[in-house]
Amino acid sequence: MDSGNRYENLARQVSAIGAVKRGLARTLPAECPGGSAIVLALLNHHGDMRMGRVSELMAVDVSVSSRHVAHTVDRGWVERLPDPADRRSRILHLTPAGESMLAVLDRRLTDMLARTLAEWSDDDVELLTTLLARLRDSFGDCRAHHA
């Protein structure tokens, strides 16, 4: 297979990932849409951070991440605390309620993947995980590629 066809086939498969993402999104509770779930996961993984860092990690504009963060703050999952280094700025902090919601999200997503991939071997699941991480790393900061 020449490289043109290889990348065309890959492009089709990557486009089809949208269906996978929509399937995973359907497992989320109605009160916690995908953007909010990402904010919770980022704070859990990286710890307290400023809004700009959330935007950077989500690879979206601050206006987009602000809406997602506002949703999590309104539900008590995240709180805005004064930044000790600059009292004019705010640090986002995951609350115990946010940790509880994250546990629900993790359980739902893990259960769905386990059901959907039940016939896959452990080696295949591990390979997919490794390759998806490698693909994401290859793209780096997606915002830098918009020109």
Side-chain angles (χ1 to χ4, degrees), residues 68-122:
H68 299 309
V69 167
H71 183 87
T72 64
V73 170
D74 290 347
R75 275 143 190 88
W77 301 330
V78 171
E79 58 186 347
R80 291 181 176 111
L81 303 173
D83 182 346
D86 179 357
R87 299 302 247 175
R88 295 168 297 170
S89 296
R90 296 285 177 248
I91 295 288
L92 302 172
H93 174 76
L94 188 64
T95 66
E99 291 171 359
S100 294
M101 175 51 70
L102 195 54
V104 169
L105 298 174
D106 286 345
R107 186 176 62 252
R108 285 179 176 218
L109 290 172
T110 300
D111 289 351
M112 184 204 199
L113 287 169
R115 282 190 313 273
T116 304
L117 305 179
E119 295 182 16
W120 288 41
S121 71
D122 290 345

Side-chain angles (χ1 to χ4, degrees), residues 5 11 17 21 27 38-39 62 87 98 107 116-117 133 140 143:
N5 285 338
I17 288 176
K21 288 176 64 174
T27 69
I38 292 169
V39 169
V62 173
R87 299 302 247 175
R107 186 176 62 252
T116 304
L117 305 179
R143 293 174 304 163

